Amino acid sequence: MPLRAIAYASEAILGLSIDHLDDLIRYAARFNLDMGITGVLLYDGSRFLQYIEGPPDAIGVAYGRILAARSHHEFVELGRGHVSRRVFPYWSMQMLPAEPHEIRRVAQGDWGWLSRAGGLRRLEEVVLPHVNR
């Protein structure tokens, strides 16, 4: 089955409580599970960086919901492309803490790799260190 991936960064709205964020993550995880989407969300307390992967139609629906969400703004798409395999096959959605400088560094990096061969290796280098904290 072909897979599609999208990565973006955004800024959380002022006053976003951790309880509200936890609710959003739980809701997204349920939705993603139903749609066959997996991914990860890095969060530094004020900025998000998210990567999602899954069937093209499901990614289109999820991405539309992400764009319409009122929990964030200053939205910047970092990259999109077809991927040959899942990086996060068991996570319908997982939020990981990150430092502000890490979010900036990753967001300002070259995301053109997402549409090129070898892109998954680059994602693993950037995101997977957060998993093993």
Side-chain angles (χ1 to χ4, degrees), residues 49-76:
L49 191 143
Q50 185 172 24
Y51 168 86
I52 56 174
E53 57 195 12
D57 290 345
I59 291 294
V61 171
Y63 195 52
R65 293 165 50 98
I66 289 167
L67 290 171
R70 291 184 270 161
S71 55
H72 62 148
H73 60 101
E74 301 297 325
F75 187 93
V76 176

Side-chain angles (χ1 to χ4, degrees), residues 6 8 11 13 16 21 40 45 48 54 62 94 97 114-115 127 130:
I6 295 178
Y8 74 88
E11 191 168 317
I13 60 166
L16 181 65
L21 183 57
V40 65
F48 298 107
Q94 180 72 30
L114 193 53
S115 61
V127 176
H130 294 281

Side-chain angles (χ1 to χ4, degrees), residues 22-88:
D22 286 343
D23 289 344
L24 291 172
I25 298 299
R26 276 193 300 278
Y27 184 70
R30 280 192 306 271
F31 176 84
N32 289 355
L33 185 62
D34 290 343
M35 299 294 284
I37 296 170
T38 55
V40 65
L41 176 71
L42 301 179
Y43 181 58
D44 69 4
S46 65
R47 292 206 38 91
F48 298 107
L49 191 143
Q50 185 172 24
Y51 168 86
I52 56 174
E53 57 195 12
D57 290 345
I59 291 294
V61 171
Y63 195 52
R65 293 165 50 98
I66 289 167
L67 290 171
R70 291 184 270 161
S71 55
H72 62 148
H73 60 101
E74 301 297 325
F75 187 93
V76 176
E77 183 176 303
L78 302 172
R80 68 168 65 210
H82 294 281
V83 293
S84 59
R85 66 177 174 80
R86 291 179 189 263
V87 177
F88 303 102

Side-chain angles (χ1 to χ4, degrees), residues 5 7 38 40 42 49 51 53 83-91 96 102 105-106 110-111 113-114 116-133:
T38 55
V40 65
L42 301 179
L49 191 143
Y51 168 86
E53 57 195 12
V83 293
S84 59
R85 66 177 174 80
R86 291 179 189 263
V87 177
F88 303 102
Y90 306 110
W91 289 358
L96 300 173
E102 293 172 315
R105 181 179 55 85
V106 173
D110 174 18
W111 281 86
W113 59 264
L114 193 53
R116 294 191 302 264
L120 291 179
R121 186 176 60 249
R122 173 74 174 125
L123 178 69
E124 291 167 338
E125 292 169 2
V126 169
V127 176
L128 291 182
H130 294 281
V131 174
N132 298 321
R133 284 186 176 180

